[in-house]
Every structure is written in structure tokens, then in C-alpha cells.
Amino acid sequence: MLDTKPLLFRSGFPPIRRAKLKILQLNLGYRCNLSCTHCHVNAGPKRTESLSDDTLETVYRVLQRIAIDSLDLTGGAPEMHPKFKALVKYARELNIEVIDRCNLTILNEPGYQWLAPFLAENRVKVVASLPCYSEQNVDAQRGKGVFESSILGLQTLNKLGYGAADSELELDLVYNPGGPFLPPAQQTLEQEYKQRLYQEHGIVFNHLLTLTNMPISRFGSMLLSKGEFDPYMDLLKANYKPDNIESVMCRDTLSVDWQGNLYDCDFNQMLAMPIMEQQNKMHLSQLLKTDLSGTAIETADHCFGCTAGQGSSCGGALG
């Protein structure tokens, strides 16, 4: 796979510093039942990286000792980790919001019939990837049959109360562009999604989150192979908006890889850019005695992806 990291120069992106930590984003491993073209962690069925029991114990200690608002679980498919249920229950008992970054199709996999009822019982917020309301576009990005399976997954969640106006069970969908272009306006696209999914499939959800594709990993390699990397970077830089700096996710979120190492965001994690540019990676356990508020955030040219246009973060558009 072609590597874009040597091309992501640290040139001119303004300095950013951390605010108070609110969200711990934890990668449980790279195993996934899908292999999506836009996936910035290169997850797939053959990946074996997985959070260890020792690291999980450290996660428990951090959740006990540090006041955070949310535990954001990612992968791969985080639900495929054998301790997924135990971790969710532990965090919910501490009254910490749990976010499950779900690909929807996992709900239909053999052996995962427990998943949807478990998420509802524990009031887990589901953030589900659905890069389009069109079957053709979704299957092109994620594989044949993925759209149909995703619709079944959404219908299962709806039956449990997810996405309903009078329900506490929150269901957000995530849109990724199908190519080297910026997402359309989030509010406008959300209305289109809601109208099409309800009319054609009877599906309801709360919010649509639009994410800009990052020029790294699998997507970055595709850009290089097609000669589209430089034009895409020019697009991101030309649409840079300084106002988005104040709202970028790295200011109040820490990314933790499957080995327990800390990064400013999961994109930096994939680029092997450790927090505070330390040669010896900072481990999650060090959070028990270190306050990172006010420290500098590691940046490079991929950061223009979070600040271009309406902005982009794990919570969708910034402005």
C-alpha cells in the first residue's frame, strides 16, 4: 500500500493546544467484518491486533480516576472484541456515556444476535457508518450487499427505540464522501437522508455526521495510485477556515490505540505521530499522574482535512 506520510509536511498549519479532556476514544483492535475503501485504520477480517487484558485493566483504572464525559469505542468493529460487553457495562456503571462506532452489518453477523438488545439495554449511543442512502454508492465503497445489511441493522435498532423522537436511545449516521471531494452541507444532507431512508425503508435516526476523508492510509494510497493526492491536498488547503480551529476534536479528545498508546487523534495514531512528539510513546497509564491540558497538539498537513469547509470531526461538521 502506498504511504502518504512522507508527503504530509508540517508546513504552516497553526499551533493548537489541548483543553480539558472530555472524550477518551479507545480503539479495541483492527479486526472487522468489512474492508472499506475510506477506512483510515485499514481494518479488515484478517487483522489480528486487539486490546489486551492488561491494557483493559488500565482503561478501567483511568475511567475510575479521571472525570470524562464519554468513552468512544472504535475499531475495526469494536463489538468483535471479546471484552466489549464488560467494558461497556463498566463505563455505564460509572455513568459515563458510551459511544459505539458501529458499521451496522455486524448486527446481522452470526453470533452477534445479542448486540442490538445489549446496546439498547445499556443505553449506548450508536454512531453508525452509512456513506450514502444509495445502494450503489454504499456497495461501491464497502462491498456488495453491505447496503442491504446496513438497512436491516438500522431497522433492528429502530424496533428497539433507537432514533425515535421520544426515545433516549440515540442513533446518528455517518457520511463519508465517495471520492476526493468535500462533504456537502451537513444540515441539507441530513434532511435528504431522513427523507429517503424513511420513505424507502421506514428508518428514522437523530443526526447525520459528515466526515471529510483523510489523505492517509487506505484512502491516501488510493489517491496516490490515481494521481489525485496533490489536487486533493490543494482542495483541503484552499478551503481552510481558521474558525474551525477552536472546535477540532483533538482539543478535548484523546485517542488510545489497541496497545494503550496515546495520540492526539486517531488520524495521528495511524500516522504514528505520538502525543507531544515523544520518542517513547506515552501510555494510557500515565494519564493517572499527568494532566495534558495546555499541551501542544501534534499537527501536519492532514489536519487541513479537519478544518476545510464546514470542518470535520468524529462529531460531524464543526460549523
Side-chain angles (χ1 to χ4, degrees):
M1 186 173 65
L2 300 173
D3 184 11
T4 61
K5 183 177 180 180
L7 304 176
L8 296 171
F9 307 108
R10 305 185 184 201
S11 58
F13 194 85
I16 318 174
R17 292 193 173 271
R18 289 198 154 274
K20 181 180 182 296
L21 178 63
K22 295 181 180 179
I23 302 170
L24 196 66
Q25 188 173 73
L26 179 65
N27 192 306
L28 297 182
Y30 300 155
R31 185 182 172 207
C32 187
N33 58 314
L34 300 177
S35 296
C36 303
T37 57
H38 62 267
C39 180
H40 65 273
V41 302
N42 300 325
K46 296 181 180 180
R47 299 298 294 266
T48 58
E49 298 90 340
S50 182
L51 191 83
S52 71
D53 287 348
D54 286 345
T55 302
L56 186 59
E57 288 300 321
T58 303
V59 172
Y60 289 158
R61 293 201 301 273
V62 168
L63 296 181
Q64 279 185 334
R65 305 257 312 262
I66 297 178
I68 62 171
D69 297 337
S70 303
L71 177 65
D72 189 345
L73 301 179
T74 73
E79 308 91 347
M80 297 181 83
H81 192 281
K83 299 295 178 65
F84 175 81
K85 288 195 285 187
L87 175 57
V88 169
K89 288 181 178 180
Y90 191 91
R92 294 300 296 133
E93 287 172 0
L94 295 174
N95 202 31
I96 296 171
E97 177 190 52
V98 175
I99 301 169
D100 177 29
R101 301 267 166 184
C102 181
N103 68 35
L104 293 174
T105 66
I106 190 68
L107 298 168
N108 307 314
E109 290 285 337
Y112 288 88
Q113 292 84 357
W114 56 269
L115 180 54
F118 172 81
L119 295 173
E121 179 184 352
N122 289 277
R123 301 191 313 282
V124 174
K125 178 179 178 178
V126 175
V127 178
S129 180
L130 189 71
C132 189
Y133 46 69
S134 157
E135 181 174 8
Q136 181 179 1
N137 289 345
V138 171
D139 285 3
Q141 278 198 45
R142 312 187 73 184
K144 186 176 181 180
V146 169
F147 179 79
E148 182 180 0
S149 182
S150 297
I151 294 299
L152 288 174
L154 286 170
Q155 290 170 338
T156 297
L157 292 172
N158 279 176
K159 289 176 183 176
L160 293 167
Y162 272 99
D166 58 350
S167 173
E168 294 182 353
L169 300 177
E170 189 169 352
L171 171 62
D172 292 344
L173 301 185
V174 177
Y175 164 87
N176 289 86
F181 47 87
L182 294 177
Q186 183 169 279
Q187 273 191 316
T188 302
L189 189 59
E190 178 179 288
Q191 293 308 311
E192 292 179 18
Y193 261 72
K194 286 188 172 183
Q195 182 178 11
R196 289 286 296 272
L197 290 177
Y198 184 75
Q199 288 180 348
E200 297 175 16
H201 308 285
I203 288 169
V204 295
F205 65 94
N206 297 102
H207 304 289
L208 179 73
L209 314 179
T210 58
L211 304 187
T212 300
N213 288 328
M214 283 290 168
I216 64 173
S217 299
R218 195 173 286 157
F219 184 73
S221 178
M222 182 190 70
L223 292 175
L224 284 175
S225 67
K226 294 183 176 181
E228 296 175 340
F229 177 80
D230 288 338
Y232 188 65
M233 289 305 307
D234 290 342
L235 174 71
L236 297 182
K237 292 178 181 180
N239 286 275
Y240 165 71
K241 290 190 176 177
D243 291 348
N244 289 329
I245 288 285
E246 290 301 313
S247 304
V248 288
M249 60 188 175
C250 53
R251 298 198 72 238
D252 63 8
T253 300
L254 266 179
S255 174
V256 187
D257 72 9
W258 62 275
Q259 295 174 301
N261 300 311
L262 298 182
Y263 298 84
D264 290 306
C265 68
D266 57 344
F267 306 123
N268 282 11
Q269 181 186 142
M270 292 304 105
L271 290 168
M273 292 172 54
I275 195 167
M276 295 192 292
E277 204 178 14
Q278 295 186 0
Q279 287 186 340
N280 296 319
K281 295 176 181 177
M282 187 173 182
H283 193 265
L284 179 65
S285 58
Q286 293 175 259
L287 277 185
L288 297 171
K289 53 185 178 182
T290 305
D291 183 3
L292 296 176
S293 300
T295 57
I297 292 168
E298 291 303 310
T299 62
D301 280 0
H302 65 290
C303 300
F304 285 103
C306 287
T307 51
Q310 61 188 339
S312 176
S313 77
C314 287
L318 302 179

